[in-house]
Amino acid sequence: MDSGGAGISCKYTTSGSYYKQPDDHAGASGSGQYRYGKVRQVYVPLRYTQKRNEFNPASDACSANHPSGHSIKPVHGFHALITPEKMAWLAEGSARYGDRYDGRNHGQFACSIKQYASGAKRPLNHSEQRQLIPLLHDFKVTPRWTWRSLTTTLHSLTSAGVFTPHKFMNEGYREIQATLLSTLLDALILKCNQKTEAIDIDIQGITNLLWALAKLVDNGLELEKTPKLKEAVTALLPLVQSKAESKVDHFTPQEVANLLWAMAKLVGNGLKLENTPKLKEAVAALLPLVKTKADAKKDQFKPQEVTNLLWAVAKLVDNGLKLEKTPKLKHVVAALLPHVKNKAESKEEKDHLNAQATANLLWAVAKLVDHGLELETTVQLKEAVTALLPHVKTRTESKQEKDHFIPQHIANLLWALAKLVDNGLALEKTAKLKEAAATLLHLVKTKAESQEEKDHFMPQHIANLLWAMAKLVENGLKLEKTVKLREAVTALLPHVKTKAESKAEKGLFVPQNIANLLWVMAKLVENGLELENTPNLKEALAVLLLRVKTNAESKAEKDHFKPQGVSNLLWSFAKLVDNGLELEETPQLKEAVVALLPHVKTKAESKAEKGHFTTRGAINLLWALATLLGNGLVLDQTAKLEEAVPALLYHVKIRAESKEERDNFNTQDTVSLLWSFAKLGEAIELNLVQSTFDFLVDRISKNPQLSQQNILMSLWGVMVFSARFYLDSGSNDKNPLEKHIGELFSRLGNTSPDNIEVQTVIAMAASWLGKACPVVPDYQISISELQSNFRDQLQSNLPFLKIEEEKSLNSLSPVDLRLPDYNMVIDVQGPLHYVGGDFKTRNGSTLLKIALLQKLGFEVIEIPVNKINNQDSMKIVIEQIKTKLAIPQEAHGSVSPDREEESTDEAYFTANEDGQFSDDCYFTAEECLEEKTGKSKRKRKRKKSVKTHLLKQ
């Protein structure tokens, strides 16, 4: 429950517990005057868990647990508070004094409602609201209401939940609620805007009012739809600044903490820092007070106040207050961190750091680190974290306290630990951190499997928990050695599927949440989580992929896809496929990719959003597309792909050619981009990326510390581009790129890999350079049914033709069919040889294979499988080959591997001048024959390669 009150006799002017504690904690008891008589104050112990912010990793900074205090007289039911006599008493006071009425009775009535809610340890329920709200229809505020009455009434009714709208409340009651709140806000704005500040306006009242307004917003009242609420906040802020800048210290530590907490809550719920200069000024005025009180010899801050202050500072920073531009902010953080350490280590006070306080402190520290507070140079920060970690372990293992950890606390704690590790806190050197993570993971499993707790897991909690686990794994927590982590992931996956399928909760699965969840799954799979052996993983993926498709195609949701989100989604798809997710068994993935491609183009071409495509984001997108297509993603229509790739290339090209942006290309970005360009083959025009490619190769050649994996990827990429230049030029002259092939090949040294992919790259490089292959690749032979049928039909039609099948030439991967008597190779090409499976646009692997065979002197005939998928078309292709083979051997231009021969001079087309893919890239055998026989004589040329023939129906 919110802060307590003492009912009708509640104290207003001095330290009433409900008045001074707008952070959901009761304060101290006391006695004092309520304007007309002496009253006795009492302390009300509270225990009300307020509504949590479902869309932010930070939980409410105000704790739901309260220390024990004095008892209060029991309230005899809610009905006793709203009897006709009580309501008549209210009306009588107002009527008797008219415009001179100061609101005293209404303030006392509001206090009694709050006292009831405090005793019940909850806000008013729907039934109680239905009884109370009609009685407030004539609740009027006159201009003569005192500041005390106004503040007491608004704060007390807010604390009791009178203004919290229940979803089943009818429109009539909602209207009464809105009218009453509007009346109180009008009076508040009028009072604050008086030319001469009213003598009774005090900081305690300002604090409670800002807290109440923050609670209204936190409980669902939207600032943008309630202009008076925003106006009231704006009217109060100059009063805060004025009091804070006064030479007289009006503030107690608790008031400073509550004010900053309220401002942070308002900012977290939509009040824009950049659009509210008075808010920045008020914060700036309060910060020196925090530092002064924190630096004082006498410890003035209670554990909860330290928590609220650090949480508020982190929340403000997270919403736009710049650490580097606000030196006072850094000083405040530096002054508060020793208090965190001292309170965490104090035997007298450590028990006051409950589950939520511990979660909020670690969340705040992690947020500050994430926004630039450096772990390595801030000793106090490390000490504070080290002091807090044992509390996590102790409280999660305590039978009494572990039930106090709600899913949001656990999510915040794991998120904070993951953020700290991601920003430099070494897992291996911080034993307490590993212990804390282990106990939290066990708690995740327990809560996720509990029937009572399962409905408490919100989509945001699930996303944050899984994100934290993935980050911990990414930073060194070994999946195979952390059984609890695997168990926690397995326990959460059914929640992902259930929540994503739920009609009631699917609206909470915003594109960002879905992107995060898929990123998490990809990261976990990349680090050892087995797709086949993890229950519910594939099912969860299928449901999320369907949500991606639905959201991407929805007109209402399309603007919610941010460039980073689109990049993360496609990166996740690619990682999952790269780690074993079978495309044929996951049709939802293909549908999701197709739905996302228009977003790639739109975001990349948008003037408003193009700046949001980071260098890394654009590179990741190209890498993801290249990986998906390279792993067999066949698109029914490639038009969307053809539009998306050039749009992305523009971004990469601009950044690669910009002197300012070039430094943002790290080693991994450079290698990934080079590999992606190569993998996409003819989908990328050479002339568009020539300068970018030169830049990438130059950076790689100047980097002496490439890993073996990066050397292999770079070597393969450079060979593909060399192959493209070779095939386009028709010349066997030495290309400048061959120098880089030689350099990269020599950097591999005496490598003896077991991996067939590595062996294949080494063999190709050796063949290209004309060197002996240092490895003996162990190629696995696979013969498709179409290839086998075609071979049988060809042999049947030409029984004397010698045909070798799956023959390895010069240590290269086996060719499908070889005709040794004619020095020819037939390559039967399935959809994996083409970008998107379009049977038009050859990918990098295919181009490199063809170029290597031609360099060895073989004439290559490429046959797309869609040309031999039935008997009639197969007969046509065989007839074309028979026609070709009827040419005398010395006339058809074959070249032996060890001698120079004549060759044909056919061109191989890739695209039209406008960059559109062309259907004219296939030569028929007849066209080849016409070209060969139509010229009477040819001059002999040295080292001229034999070109490829593509048979077309």
Side-chain angles (χ1 to χ4, degrees):
M1 182 55 218
D2 300 320
S3 48
I8 297 294
S9 63
C10 64
K11 171 76 171 91
Y12 181 91
T13 54
T14 61
S15 58
S17 61
Y18 77 91
Y19 192 95
K20 289 183 73 174
Q21 189 73 16
D23 58 344
D24 293 345
H25 293 272
S29 61
S31 63
Q33 294 287 334
Y34 180 83
R35 189 174 176 109
Y36 298 109
K38 189 169 183 176
V39 295
R40 182 176 69 84
Q41 273 198 313
V42 293
Y43 170 84
V44 183
L46 305 180
R47 197 187 191 90
Y48 157 54
T49 302
Q50 63 189 38
K51 169 188 173 289
R52 308 286 171 188
N53 186 341
E54 296 168 1
F55 300 99
N56 195 290
S59 66
D60 196 334
C62 302
S63 172
N65 302 305
H66 304 268
S68 59
H70 301 295
S71 61
I72 61 169
K73 295 178 181 179
V75 179
H76 300 291
F78 185 68
H79 294 289
L81 302 177
I82 55 172
T83 60
E85 291 79 13
K86 286 286 179 68
M87 303 317 295
W89 170 70
L90 275 182
E92 181 184 350
S94 182
R96 181 178 177 185
Y97 294 102
D99 289 343
R100 295 180 293 110
Y101 175 58
D102 64 4
R104 175 178 58 174
N105 293 355
H106 286 70
Q108 291 181 351
F109 173 75
C111 275
S112 69
I113 299 298
K114 179 183 174 184
Q115 180 189 12
Y116 168 80
S118 298
K121 301 176 183 177
R122 58 168 177 77
L124 299 185
N125 59 33
H126 181 44
S127 173
E128 291 160 347
Q129 276 196 345
R130 287 180 60 192
Q131 296 174 62
L132 174 64
I133 287 175
L135 302 177
L136 302 179
H137 186 271
D138 296 322
F139 201 104
K140 294 178 181 177
V141 182
T142 67
R144 292 295 297 274
W145 269 40
T146 64
W147 173 258
R148 299 169 183 173
S149 299
L150 183 60
T151 307
T152 303
T153 303
L154 182 54
H155 177 263
S156 296
L157 293 179
T158 301
S159 298
V162 173
F163 297 117
T164 302
H166 285 279
K167 72 177 177 180
F168 299 113
M169 184 181 291
N170 65 42
E171 286 302 317
Y173 289 174
R174 287 178 187 271
E175 189 176 337
I176 295 172
Q177 263 185 334
T179 302
L180 173 57
L181 179 59
S182 178
T183 302
L184 289 167
L185 291 175
D186 281 336
L188 168 60
I189 293 164
L190 182 66
K191 187 75 73 175
C192 291
N193 289 337
Q194 289 175 347
K195 290 185 179 179
T196 305
E197 186 177 314
I199 195 169
D200 59 345
I201 291 181
D202 62 343
I203 195 58
Q204 199 172 27
I206 296 169
T207 304
N208 275 8
L209 282 170
L210 267 174
W211 176 89
L213 299 180
K215 285 298 289 183
L216 287 168
V217 171
D218 200 40
N219 285 330
L221 202 61
E222 295 182 38
L223 272 169
E224 296 304 321
K225 294 182 180 179
T226 318
K228 284 186 181 178
L229 189 62
K230 202 171 182 180
E231 191 180 347
V233 171
T234 306
L236 282 167
L237 291 172
L239 298 180
V240 176
Q241 184 186 355
S242 174
K243 297 285 185 185
E245 292 176 349
S246 168
K247 292 182 180 180
V248 180
D249 187 359
H250 297 279
F251 296 83
T252 65
Q254 186 178 3
E255 287 162 354
V256 177
N258 292 341
L259 278 167
L260 279 169
W261 178 89
M263 292 178 192
K265 268 291 174 188
L266 288 164
V267 167
N269 283 281
L271 189 64
K272 302 294 183 185
L273 266 169
E274 63 273 14
N275 298 335
T276 318
K278 290 179 181 178
L279 179 62
K280 279 188 174 182
E281 292 165 6
V283 170
L286 285 172
L287 291 175
L289 294 178
V290 178
K291 185 177 184 303
T292 301
K293 294 182 185 299
D295 287 340
K297 290 183 179 179
K298 184 181 177 182
D299 190 354
Q300 300 183 41
F301 287 115
K302 296 174 184 175
Q304 184 59 42
E305 292 158 7
V306 174
T307 303
N308 285 358
L309 282 166
L310 207 55
W311 181 90
V313 168
K315 193 71 172 168
L316 289 167
V317 168
D318 198 37
N319 282 277
L321 197 61
K322 302 294 183 185
L323 265 172
E324 64 276 10
K325 295 181 180 179
T326 317
K328 291 178 182 176
L329 202 60
K330 280 191 172 182
H331 297 155
V332 166
V333 173
L336 286 172
L337 287 172
H339 287 267
V340 175
K341 176 178 180 288
N342 293 339
K343 306 247 180 243
E345 292 177 347
S346 167
K347 292 181 179 179
E348 292 77 22
E349 293 189 283
K350 69 176 182 179
D351 291 335
H352 293 185
L353 282 178
N354 57 27
Q356 185 171 351
T358 305
N360 286 341
L361 280 169
L362 278 167
W363 179 89
V365 170
K367 267 292 173 190
L368 290 167
V369 168
D370 201 36
H371 282 277
L373 197 62
E374 295 180 3
L375 261 170
E376 296 303 320
T377 58
T378 313
V379 177
Q380 293 165 327
L381 190 62
K382 276 191 170 181
E383 290 177 347
V385 170
T386 304
L388 283 169
L389 290 174
H391 284 269
V392 178
K393 183 174 184 291
T394 303
R395 297 195 181 284
T396 50
E397 289 179 344
S398 164
K399 291 182 180 180
Q400 293 77 23
E401 296 206 55
K402 68 179 180 181
D403 291 337
H404 296 171
F405 276 93
I406 61 173
Q408 185 170 356
H409 295 163
I410 304 167
N412 290 347
L413 280 166
L414 269 172
W415 180 91
L417 296 183
K419 269 292 175 188
L420 290 167
V421 168
D422 202 36
N423 281 279
L425 193 64
L427 262 172
E428 298 304 322
K429 297 179 182 178
T430 316
K432 291 178 181 177
L433 193 147
K434 284 181 108 171
E435 292 171 2
T439 56
L440 284 170
L441 290 169
H442 178 69
L443 200 55
V444 170
K445 176 180 179 288
T446 305
K447 297 275 185 185
E449 292 177 347
S450 164
Q451 290 296 317
E452 295 77 20
E453 294 275 1
K454 66 178 183 179
D455 293 333
H456 296 166
F457 278 91
M458 303 291 182
Q460 182 67 37
H461 302 158
I462 297 167
N464 285 349
L465 281 166
L466 284 167
W467 179 90
M469 293 177 200
K471 273 292 174 186
L472 289 169
V473 168
E474 188 182 36
N475 283 282
L477 195 64
K478 301 296 182 185
L479 262 171
E480 64 273 14
K481 296 180 181 179
T482 315
V483 177
K484 290 179 181 177
L485 194 142
R486 282 178 176 271
E487 291 174 346
V489 170
T490 304
L492 283 172
L493 288 174
H495 288 270
V496 175
K497 182 175 182 292
T498 304
K499 301 286 182 186
E501 288 178 335
S502 165
K503 291 182 180 179
E505 295 198 81
K506 68 178 181 180
L508 301 179
F509 267 92
V510 295
Q512 185 63 43
N513 285 349
I514 298 169
N516 285 349
L517 281 166
L518 281 165
W519 180 89
V520 163
M521 292 180 186
K523 269 290 172 190
L524 291 171
V525 168
E526 184 186 26
N527 283 279
L529 190 68
E530 296 175 1
L531 273 165
E532 299 300 329
N533 298 329
T534 307
N536 300 306
L537 180 56
K538 282 192 172 182
E539 291 84 350
L541 282 172
V543 174
L544 288 173
L545 290 169
L546 181 61
R547 293 298 308 276
V548 171
K549 176 180 179 289
T550 305
N551 285 350
E553 292 176 347
S554 163
K555 291 182 179 179
E557 291 282 355
K558 67 177 182 179
D559 293 334
H560 295 169
F561 279 91
K562 297 178 181 178
Q564 186 63 42
V566 175
S567 176
N568 285 351
L569 280 168
L570 281 167
W571 181 92
S572 304
F573 298 168
K575 273 293 174 187
L576 288 165
V577 169
D578 209 29
N579 283 279
L581 186 65
E582 295 293 338
L583 278 164
E584 292 182 1
E585 297 176 9
T586 319
Q588 300 92 339
L589 193 142
K590 178 181 172 182
E591 293 169 358
V593 171
V594 172
L596 281 174
L597 284 175
H599 288 269
V600 175
K601 177 179 180 290
T602 304
K603 303 289 180 190
E605 293 179 347
S606 165
K607 291 182 179 179
E609 293 193 277
K610 67 180 181 181
H612 298 298
F613 260 114
T614 62
T615 301
R616 175 69 55 81
I619 291 171
N620 281 352
L621 277 168
L622 277 169
W623 176 88
L625 290 175
T627 301
L628 288 166
L629 296 167
N631 278 280
L633 180 66
V634 177
L635 300 176
D636 298 327
Q637 297 178 347
T638 57
K640 292 178 181 178
L641 179 67
E642 292 167 16
E643 293 171 350
V645 171
L648 282 173
L649 283 177
Y650 170 78
H651 277 273
V652 174
K653 185 177 172 64
I654 291 296
R655 284 170 167 78
E657 294 177 358
S658 164
K659 291 181 180 179
E660 294 78 18
E661 293 277 355
R662 284 188 169 194
D663 291 337
N664 293 333
F665 280 80
N666 60 29
T667 301
Q668 193 57 52
D669 292 337
T670 305
V671 174
S672 294
L673 188 55
L674 177 64
W675 180 88
S676 302
F677 280 176
K679 195 72 177 172
L680 289 168
E682 291 173 331
I684 293 178
E685 289 191 62
L686 277 174
N687 62 320
L688 289 180
V689 296
Q690 178 70 63
S691 58
T692 306
F693 177 76
D694 291 341
F695 158 70
L696 296 173
V697 173
D698 183 62
R699 282 186 74 93
I700 288 168
S701 65
K702 291 177 180 177
N703 188 336
Q705 296 181 335
L706 289 176
S707 67
Q708 187 186 72
Q709 178 66 21
N710 284 337
I711 293 173
L712 287 163
M713 288 177 68
S714 303
L715 176 58
W716 184 85
V718 174
M719 282 195 292
V720 169
F721 270 86
S722 295
R724 293 194 64 182
F725 287 123
Y726 174 81
L727 292 171
D728 279 5
S729 67
S731 170
N732 209 19
D733 295 338
K734 202 164 187 178
N735 189 293
L737 286 176
E738 289 198 14
K739 177 186 75 171
H740 297 290
I741 296 175
E743 288 175 355
L744 290 166
F745 183 74
S746 64
R747 288 171 71 173
L748 287 173
N750 297 320
T751 306
S752 300
D754 295 328
N755 187 302
I756 184 59
E757 292 181 1
V758 177
Q759 292 175 353
T760 303
V761 173
I762 292 173
M764 288 191 292
S767 180
W768 190 281
L769 296 169
K771 296 183 177 182
C773 185
V775 297
V776 180
D778 182 21
Y779 295 115
Q780 298 298 310
I781 294 174
S782 175
I783 301 174
S784 68
E785 186 177 351
L786 269 174
Q787 177 183 323
S788 180
N789 289 340
F790 176 74
R791 183 202 180 285
D792 292 343
Q793 289 293 324
L794 183 62
Q795 191 72 79
S796 174
N797 279 268
L798 298 168
F800 300 105
L801 181 66
K802 186 177 180 181
I803 303 174
E804 295 177 345
E805 192 167 17
E806 296 298 327
K807 180 77 173 178
S808 178
L809 305 171
N810 202 33
S811 297
L812 297 175
S813 60
V815 296
D816 296 334
L817 302 174
R818 181 192 177 200
L819 311 181
D821 293 339
Y822 292 88
N823 210 33
M824 282 185 185
V825 167
I826 297 176
D827 194 31
V828 180
Q829 297 174 342
L832 287 178
H833 287 73
Y834 301 89
V835 178
D838 66 351
F839 291 107
K840 294 189 300 180
T841 313
R842 294 179 294 182
N843 60 30
S845 301
T846 302
L847 293 168
L848 179 55
K849 179 180 180 180
I850 300 305
L852 284 166
L853 289 169
Q854 287 191 10
K855 279 178 71 68
L856 290 173
F858 292 99
E859 187 171 359
V860 183
I861 299 176
E862 297 178 68
I863 305 177
V865 293
N866 66 336
K867 305 303 177 188
I868 56 171
N869 54 7
N870 60 64
Q871 289 295 320
D872 291 338
S873 60
M874 192 179 292
K875 284 180 182 178
I876 294 173
V877 170
I878 290 173
E879 287 302 317
Q880 291 172 350
I881 292 174
K882 287 168 69 175
T883 303
K884 184 171 183 56
L885 296 181
I887 307 169
Q889 276 190 267
E890 55 274 10
H892 70 64
S894 64
V895 179
S896 170
D898 54 356
R899 61 189 177 90
E900 300 171 2
E901 291 284 354
E902 285 187 343
S903 68
T904 59
D905 194 24
E906 298 109 12
Y908 188 91
F909 300 126
T910 57
N912 296 330
E913 290 181 3
D914 62 358
Q916 297 300 311
F917 297 92
S918 170
D919 284 323
D920 300 330
C921 61
Y922 294 108
F923 274 103
T924 64
E926 290 90 339
E927 289 168 333
C928 294
L929 183 61
E930 286 172 8
E931 184 173 359
K932 292 181 180 189
T933 57
K935 297 179 183 179
S936 57
K937 290 184 179 180
R938 294 181 182 271
K939 293 181 181 179
R940 294 179 66 86
K941 294 183 181 180
R942 292 174 57 84
K943 298 260 184 184
K944 193 160 187 180
S945 62
V946 179
K947 290 298 177 184
T948 307
H949 301 289
L950 291 107
L951 299 181
K952 182 178 178 182
Q953 195 170 325

